[in-house]
Amino acid sequence: MGAIDHQLLPKIKDVFLERIDELGIDRVFFKILDRYNFEEYTDANPAFCIYMGQRTDTSFLDEAIVTKLVKDATLILPLIDEDLSEFKNLVPQVIQKYNGLSLLDSSQDLAIEKIVNNSLEAFNLLKSKRRAFVSYKRSDSSGVAIQLYEYLEQHNFDVFLDTHSIRKSEPFQDELLQRMIDSDVIVLLSTEKYLESEWTQKELSEANLASIGLVQIVWPEYSVIQGAQLSEIYKLEASDFINDDFRNVNAKLNEDSLLKIVQFTEALRARTLASRQDKLISTFMHYAQKSEVTATLSSPKFIELEKNGEKSVVVPAIGMPKALNCEESQTLVKSIYEEGLDKI
C-alpha cells in the first residue's frame, strides 16, 4: 500500500516468491494485493502489509485501507525513503507508533532481505515454525505415516512422528501430547481401526480443545471420523496407492498423491494458524482497549502497551509454553528496551 509504484516493491515481490519456491510451497497459496484489487482482501486469511510512506500535501495514500488493516490486527511494516526522524510525516497517524524501517539504513539487497524475512516470519513460514504432527494407528498405516514424515520434511516442515521424534529417555505420552499441542496442523490418517486406540482418541480430543487445524487423510472404503471440529477431508482412492494396495500396513502412496497432500496440508495450516493468531491478538487488544491501555501491534513478535506514560511489551505465542519460549521472549524484550522500538 502507499506508494505502490515504488521501484523497490517489484524486487521485494520477486525475492519473496523465490523464497516461497525454496520452501517448496506452491505460489497458488499467495495473493499479492494493492489498492486496485483490495476488494479481494478478507481477514479470514493470513495477511502481511507493506506500506510505502511518502510525503503528501493533504492526506496519506490508502489511509482507509490501512485503518481497516489495523482494526483487523493485521501486521503492517511501514517503509520510508528518508531518515526515521521523518517517520511521522510520511505515514498515517494510525501506524505512526508502528515499528518502521528506513531504506537509508542499509543497502538495497539487505533491505529487501529484512523485509522478506519479516513477511516470512509473519506467515510462520520459517521451518522451525511450520510444525506438523502425524496422528495414525501403527497397525493400520505405518508405511504412509513414515512416507509423509519424510515428504513433509523435504518440503520444509518440522514434522513430529512418534517413532522418529521422541528420544528414548523422554516420557513418551507426555512428550507426544506436548508436541501435538505445539503443532500448526495435524495430519490424521483415518483408517479402519484409528479410534480403537485410547491414545489416538486422546490426540483427537486434545486437537479439538486446542483448535488446531486437522487434515483427515481418509483411506478408501472407510468413513470420515466424526468429532474433528477444524477438520478438512482429503479422500484417498485405491489408485493413490502404489499397486492399488491400501490394506497393507506398509502400503505406500504414489508421488503425485504425496505432493497433493503436502499442498492441502500447507493450505489448512496457513488458514488455521492465522485464525488462532488473529483470535489471540485481537482478543488481547480488545481487552487492552477496554482497560484504556494503548496497544500497538509493532511486529510479528510483540505488542507494545502504553498507559499513563508507562510502557510494557507483550509477546504473543501460540502453542505450549516452554522454557525456550520464555528465554526468547526475555531476549526480545531486552533488545527492544536497549535498542529502541524503531530498530527492532
Side-chain angles (χ1 to χ4, degrees):
M1 299 302 164
I4 59 175
D5 57 346
H6 191 278
Q7 60 179 359
L8 195 64
L9 293 180
K11 297 177 182 179
I12 294 171
K13 295 175 186 177
D14 289 343
V15 173
F16 176 81
L17 292 174
E18 287 172 7
R19 295 287 296 276
I20 291 303
D21 292 340
E22 291 169 4
L23 287 169
I25 305 171
D26 197 317
R27 294 186 182 190
V28 72
F29 294 126
F30 298 88
K31 183 181 288 290
I32 297 176
L33 305 177
D34 54 37
R35 71 169 69 96
Y36 302 114
N37 62 345
F38 189 73
E39 68 277 359
E40 299 177 38
Y41 164 80
T42 169
D43 62 358
N45 293 322
F48 179 80
C49 177
I50 296 171
Y51 183 86
M52 190 65 224
Q54 68 177 30
R55 294 186 184 277
T56 56
D57 294 333
T58 57
S59 62
F60 293 100
L61 294 171
D62 303 319
E63 190 164 1
I65 292 176
V66 171
T67 300
K68 175 171 177 53
L69 293 173
V70 170
K71 183 178 179 182
D72 291 342
T74 296
L75 291 162
I76 301 174
L77 176 62
L79 308 177
I80 60 172
D81 262 337
E82 300 186 33
D83 188 88
L84 281 173
S85 61
E86 294 294 317
F87 185 74
K88 291 185 178 180
N89 298 321
L90 302 175
V91 302
Q93 183 177 3
V94 70
I95 58 170
Q96 286 180 0
K97 290 189 176 182
Y98 276 49
N99 184 20
L101 176 66
S102 170
L103 300 177
L104 300 180
D105 290 344
S106 55
S107 67
Q108 185 178 99
D109 289 344
L110 184 56
I112 291 174
E113 191 68 22
K114 287 181 180 179
I115 295 163
V116 170
N117 283 343
N118 209 291
S119 63
L120 290 171
E121 187 175 14
F123 289 122
N124 287 279
L125 289 176
L126 302 182
K127 184 181 178 184
S128 62
K129 295 186 178 179
R130 298 176 67 224
R131 297 178 290 258
F133 181 100
V134 180
S135 179
Y136 70 110
K137 185 77 166 60
R138 286 190 191 180
S139 59
D140 276 359
S141 54
S142 290
V144 172
I146 293 170
Q147 257 193 313
L148 283 172
Y149 171 83
E150 294 173 347
Y151 209 78
L152 286 164
E153 281 278 342
Q154 291 171 19
H155 286 76
N156 291 286
F157 277 82
D158 178 9
V159 190
F160 178 90
L161 182 69
D162 57 358
T163 55
H164 288 59
S165 305
I166 298 179
R167 295 190 295 270
K168 299 300 182 183
S169 60
E170 293 176 333
F172 183 83
Q173 296 299 345
D174 290 346
E175 177 67 11
L176 185 146
L177 290 177
Q178 178 166 314
R179 287 292 300 271
M180 188 194 71
I181 293 172
D182 205 33
S183 296
D184 303 334
V185 63
I186 295 171
V187 181
L188 185 156
L189 306 188
S190 181
T191 53
E192 182 179 19
K193 298 178 181 178
Y194 178 85
L195 288 178
E196 291 183 5
S197 165
E198 172 190 352
W199 289 108
T200 52
Q201 291 181 41
K202 188 171 182 60
E203 288 171 20
L204 183 59
S205 174
E206 294 291 337
N208 286 334
L209 288 173
S211 299
I212 303 171
L214 191 150
V215 176
Q216 273 201 58
I217 311 298
V218 183
W219 256 234
E221 300 182 2
Y222 300 134
S223 302
V224 173
I225 294 174
Q226 302 301 315
Q229 296 173 1
L230 293 176
S231 175
E232 293 209 8
I233 310 303
Y234 188 95
K235 192 76 169 68
L236 293 172
E237 305 292 339
S239 59
D240 290 312
F241 292 80
I242 295 174
N243 298 325
D244 294 349
D245 179 16
F246 62 88
R247 295 182 178 87
N248 187 336
V249 63
N250 295 314
K252 300 289 181 65
L253 294 170
N254 60 49
E255 190 82 8
D256 185 56
S257 299
L258 287 168
L259 180 58
K260 289 178 180 177
I261 290 172
V262 169
Q263 293 173 338
F264 194 84
T265 300
E266 173 57 33
L268 179 65
R269 185 204 71 86
R271 291 198 304 276
T272 57
L273 188 61
S275 176
R276 293 169 71 193
Q277 182 83 0
D278 286 349
K279 183 177 179 181
L280 176 66
I281 292 173
S282 298
T283 301
F284 182 87
M285 295 183 77
H286 171 72
Y287 280 107
Q289 185 179 21
K290 286 182 65 176
S291 303
E292 299 182 348
V293 176
T294 300
T296 303
L297 184 58
S298 297
S299 81
K301 295 180 178 179
F302 68 92
I303 301 171
E304 181 191 5
L305 303 179
E306 183 176 359
K307 185 172 184 179
N308 300 327
E310 295 186 6
K311 292 185 178 181
S312 57
V313 169
V314 171
V315 181
I318 294 174
M320 184 75 74
K322 293 178 287 189
L324 182 59
N325 300 138
C326 297
E327 182 179 349
E328 290 174 345
S329 298
Q330 289 174 352
T331 301
L332 171 62
V333 172
K334 182 179 179 181
S335 66
I336 290 169
Y337 284 117
E338 287 183 350
E339 300 181 28
L341 292 171
D342 59 349
K343 296 181 181 178
I344 298 301

